[in-house]
Amino acid sequence: MTEPARLVHERRAGADLGGVETVGALRSTRLLVGASLVAVLAEAWFAVGLARPTPAMLSWVAMLFAIGLAVTACVQTSRAPGIAPGAGRFWWHVALGMSLIGLGAVSNGVDTWRGIVKPQHIGTLTAGFYIAGLAMLLWAMVRIPGHRRSRGEWLRFGLDSATVVVAVLTFAWHFVLRNWHEWSGGNVTGARALMALGTCGAVCAFAFVKVAFTGTGPLDRRALYLLASAGGAGALGGAMSPLLAGRPWLNGTPIVLPLTCLVLCFAADRQRRAAGVPVPVPARRKRPGCVPYVAVSATCVLLLVDADLSGGDILGVAVGTVVLVLLVAARQATALRDNAELVHSLDGRLREVVEYQETLAWQATHDALTNLPNRRLLTQYTSEALEHGDRVAVALVDIDDFKEINDDLGHGTGDALLTAIAARLGELAGGALVARLGGDEYALVFPAADAPAALRFLGAVAAGLRRPLDAAGHALVVEASVGIAVGEPGLGAAELLRRADVAMYAAKEQGKGRQVAYDPAMDQRGAEQARIAAELRTALDTGQLRVFYQPIVRLGDGGVVGVEALVRWEHPERGMIRPDLFIPAAERTGLIVPLGQWVLATACRQAAQWRRELGPDALAYVSVNVSPRQLRETGFATRVRDELRAAGLAPACLMVEVTETAVFDGGSGLDELHEVKRLGVQVALDDFGTGHSSLGLLRTCPVDVLKVDKSFVDNVTAAGEHSVIADALIGIADGLKLRAVAEGVETEAQAVALRALGYHYAQGYLYGRPAPAAQLTALGRDRERFGAPAR
C-alpha cells in the first residue's frame, strides 16, 4: 500500500473506531471535600430540626456556601485545559444558572429573615430567580453540540417533556392539597411558585437524561447523568415543603440544595477528568424513552390509590381508565417494536447500498487488474498536492517490449507481469503514489525539488525493476522508458501530466530503459505531428497508402464471410508506418475525411472485383471504418451511394463500421447513418462495450452487427467479469436479432470459449493478419475456406 493510500486508510480506520474513553480516577480535591462537608452539616442540622425548633439562618448560610462551591467548580471546568469549546460553553452556562439560583436563595433568606414570607414559602422575586436559573440550565442543555435534530425529534422531545410536566403537576397538586389549609395559610402565590419550581426541576432532570441517552456531543456522558440526578434533587426540594407543614421552622430548599451542589461538583470534576479524552460516538439507535412511560405509570398508581381511599363508584372509573391507558401503551409498544424491526431491516439495506456505492467508488478510481489508483485518482491527487504548494514530480513509466511478451507468452502471463510490476513499483516507490494508467503504462507522483533529484530517485526505481519478476512461473526481466516532469508554481495537474507524457515519448525514441526529464523543446513534437500530416497529404496524392484486408470468419467451420479494410502507409524512406502513428495526426488535421473517402472507394472497387472474379464464392461483404469526423460531414451518405455506383457494388455487400462515440450524442452523424442504412448498406458498431455503451443507442442507431472489443475477448477463457460481459453482449445481440463479431481472437481456446457462449463470427490473428488484396484473392479460390454467411 502506498503512503497516500495508507494515510487515507488510517484516517478512515480512526473515524470508524471513534476512540476509547480512558478517564482518570476520582481524586480528592478541596472543592469536593468542602462540598461534602457542607452537605453533611446541612443534613445533620436538618436532622436536629426534625426533633426540635432550630434557627433557620444557619442552614441558609450553609446553602449559600454550597452554591458558591458549585459555581466555582463549574467555572473551573469551563476553563479546564483540553476541554472542547462546546463543553466549556455548556459549563459556563451551568455556572450562570447556579448563580441565578444562588441569588434566589439570598432573596429567599432575606424574605424569611425580615418576616415577609414564612420559612417554607417563597416570594415572587425569589421564584423569578429560581425559574431563571432553571431556564438557564435548560438553555445550556439545548445548546449542547451534537447531531442536528429534526423537527420530528424536537416534537417528540416536547411531547415527552409535556408528559413529565403533567405528571409532576399532578403529584405536586395532590400533595399540596392534602396539607393545603395547614401549610399554605391562603398563600396561593407561594404554593404555585413551589409547584412551578418542582416542575422545572423535573423537566431539567428529564432533559439531561434524554440528552445523555441520545447524544452528548463533547460532554462526558456520566457527567450528564450526575447533572440529571442534581436536577432531580432540586425538584424534590421544591416538592417536599408541604410535607414539612408540621414543622414551620424547617425549609426544604436549604436542605436539598447542598446535596444538589455536591452532586454538581462531582459532575464538574468528572468532566475535568474527561477533558481531552476522545468522546466515543455511539451508533444512533432509535429506542423509546422510558421516562414518559414511568411518569404515566406513576400517575396511574396515584389515581388508583386516591380512588381507593375515596371509595364509591370513582374506583371503577379509575380502574377502567388505567386499563385503557395500559392497553394503549401496549398497542404503542407493539407498533414501536414493529417500527424498530422495519428500521433494522432498512438499516441493513442501507448498509448494503453504502457498501455497494463504496465498491463503485473504488472501481471508479482504481485499476481492476492491479488495484492501483487509476488516471482519475492520480489527477485528483496531483491537483491537491499542487494546490497545497507541494513540490512534486510526476513520472510516466512505460514498459518496453511488453507487447512482444504478451504475444509470445500469452495474455495470462502478460497480466501476471503487469501485477508483478505494480507490486515492485510499490516496494521501490516508498512514499510515492503509484498508479496504472492503462496497458503497460504506470505513473508515480513523489516529492522532488528539481529534475536532477527526480532523475536520481527514478534511476533507483528503474534499477529495481530490472531485477527478475515472477509472472505465472516465468522469471522475466523488463526495461522501462520513463518521462519526468517537475511541478512549478501555477502549473495544473493536466499540464504536468502532459509534460511527463511528452518526456516519456522522448525517452522511448532514445531507446529502451531511458529516463528523460521534460524540456520545453520537446513540445516540438506537436510540430512533428504537423509534419506527419503534411507528408500524409503527399502520401494520399502519390499513392503511398495501401488497403489491407483482415478476414472475418464463421466460428463453426472457419469459413471466411467478409473482410475488414485497414489502411497502411508505405513510406518511401521509413517503410511501413503503423496506423496509430498517423491516424491521430489525420484526425487532428481533418485529413481523416479524404483518407476515409479514399479507403471507402478502394474497398468498394476491390469488393466488386472479387464478385466478378469469384462469382457465388465471393465474400459476402467488405467492412470499412468510418471516423466520427467523416460521418458528420454533410453529404456522407450521398458519397457512399456514389462510390457504390461507381464500383458497381450492391449496397448489401458493403458494411460501414462506426464507434459508439460517433453516434452517441445523435445529431448529423446519426442522421447520415440512417441515410446510409436506407441505401441498403449494413451498419456495425465497432469496439462495442468500450465507449458509452448505452443500450438506448441500439434503439436509435440502425445497427446490424455488434463488434465486441478485443478487451473482452482476451480473458474470455477465465472466469471473471470479461467472460460475463462477453456472455451478456451475445445475449443482447441475439435478443435484438443482431450479428455479433468477436474481435482480437488469437488462440484456439478463445475460439472454443466464444463458440460455447453462442458467438458465430470472429476476427483476429488466429484466422489471419491484415494482408493485401492479392492474398485474399488467392484465399478466395479455396472454396473450402470461402462461403456465404449463415444469416
Side-chain angles (χ1 to χ4, degrees), residues 268-298:
D269 179 76
R270 169 73 187 189
Q271 182 66 65
R272 282 197 302 275
R273 288 185 284 117
V277 176
V279 179
V281 182
R284 290 179 60 188
R285 298 176 56 190
K286 297 290 185 182
R287 50 176 135 185
C290 62
V291 177
Y293 293 95
V294 171
V296 171
S297 301

Side-chain angles (χ1 to χ4, degrees), residues 36-396:
S36 300
L37 290 176
V38 171
V40 171
L41 290 175
E43 301 315 309
W45 190 249
F46 173 70
V48 172
L50 290 175
R52 60 184 179 83
T54 56
M57 293 310 299
L58 183 60
S59 60
W60 287 104
V61 172
M63 179 185 67
L64 293 176
F65 189 68
I67 292 175
L69 291 175
V71 171
T72 302
C74 293
V75 171
Q76 289 180 355
T77 300
S78 70
R79 299 173 179 176
I83 194 167
R89 184 170 56 249
F90 168 81
W91 285 100
W92 178 252
H93 287 154
V94 173
L96 289 179
M98 290 304 299
S99 298
L100 290 172
I101 292 174
L103 291 176
V106 171
S107 174
N108 197 0
V110 171
D111 289 346
T112 302
W113 177 65
R114 294 174 58 188
I116 298 175
V117 297
K118 295 180 179 180
Q120 295 176 6
H121 295 174
I122 62 175
T124 303
L125 180 61
T126 301
F129 278 124
Y130 283 159
I131 292 175
L134 291 173
M136 178 59 69
L137 295 178
L138 276 174
W139 173 250
M141 180 276 301
V142 172
R143 295 271 295 172
I144 292 176
H147 72 270
R148 192 178 184 86
R149 295 174 176 82
S150 64
R151 291 183 179 179
E153 289 176 319
W154 281 114
L155 177 60
R156 286 191 293 273
F157 177 75
L159 292 174
D160 290 347
S161 299
T163 304
V164 173
V165 167
V166 171
V168 171
L169 287 174
T170 301
F171 273 84
W173 189 259
H174 174 77
F175 287 109
V176 167
L177 280 178
R178 176 175 296 179
N179 300 287
W180 174 263
H181 296 289
E182 181 181 355
W183 174 77
S184 67
N187 187 354
V188 178
T189 302
R192 290 174 178 173
L194 283 178
M195 290 177 63
L197 286 177
T199 301
C200 289
V203 170
C204 280
F206 165 72
F208 282 118
V209 171
K210 184 82 172 180
V211 171
F213 271 110
T214 59
T216 63
L219 296 177
D220 182 75
R221 188 176 296 271
R222 294 183 182 177
L224 276 183
Y225 290 150
L226 290 171
L227 281 174
S229 62
L236 178 63
M240 69 179 296
S241 293
L243 303 178
L244 301 175
R247 296 176 176 84
W249 60 87
L250 290 180
N251 188 304
T253 304
I255 299 163
V256 175
L257 263 181
L259 287 177
T260 301
C261 293
L262 175 62
V263 176
L264 185 57
C265 288
F266 275 101
D269 179 76
R270 169 73 187 189
Q271 182 66 65
R272 282 197 302 275
R273 288 185 284 117
V277 176
V279 179
V281 182
R284 290 179 60 188
R285 298 176 56 190
K286 297 290 185 182
R287 50 176 135 185
C290 62
V291 177
Y293 293 95
V294 171
V296 171
S297 301
T299 305
C300 290
V301 172
L302 177 63
L303 176 62
L304 290 175
V305 172
D306 197 49
D308 183 54
L309 294 175
S310 300
D313 295 336
I314 190 67
L315 179 59
V317 175
V319 171
T321 302
V322 171
V323 171
L324 286 175
V325 170
L326 293 177
L327 289 175
V328 171
R331 171 71 175 81
Q332 187 182 28
T334 303
L336 288 174
R337 184 194 62 191
D338 294 341
N339 289 340
E341 293 176 356
L342 177 60
V343 168
H344 179 73
S345 175
L346 292 177
D347 205 31
R349 295 287 182 86
L350 181 59
R351 282 195 297 271
E352 292 177 1
V353 171
V354 170
E355 291 174 359
Y356 179 67
Q357 290 177 336
E358 291 176 349
T359 301
L360 290 180
W362 173 269
Q363 293 174 348
T365 55
H366 289 77
D367 174 61
L369 178 64
T370 62
N371 287 330
L372 290 177
N374 60 12
R375 182 181 294 273
R376 180 179 179 182
L377 187 56
L378 170 74
T379 304
Q380 178 183 343
Y381 178 84
T382 307
S383 297
E384 293 176 356
L386 293 173
E387 289 172 0
H388 292 160
D390 298 338
R391 187 75 170 178
V392 297
V394 173
L396 295 189

Side-chain angles (χ1 to χ4, degrees), residues 661-681:
T661 306
V663 292
F664 181 78
D665 56 356
S668 60
L670 186 58
D671 295 338
E672 290 289 341
L673 196 61
H674 277 285
E675 291 296 326
V676 170
K677 179 63 178 176
R678 291 190 189 98
L679 294 175
V681 176

Side-chain angles (χ1 to χ4, degrees), residues 558-572:
V560 180
V561 298
V563 291
E564 180 180 355
L566 302 167
V567 66
R568 298 292 185 266
W569 183 1
E570 189 175 356
H571 196 278

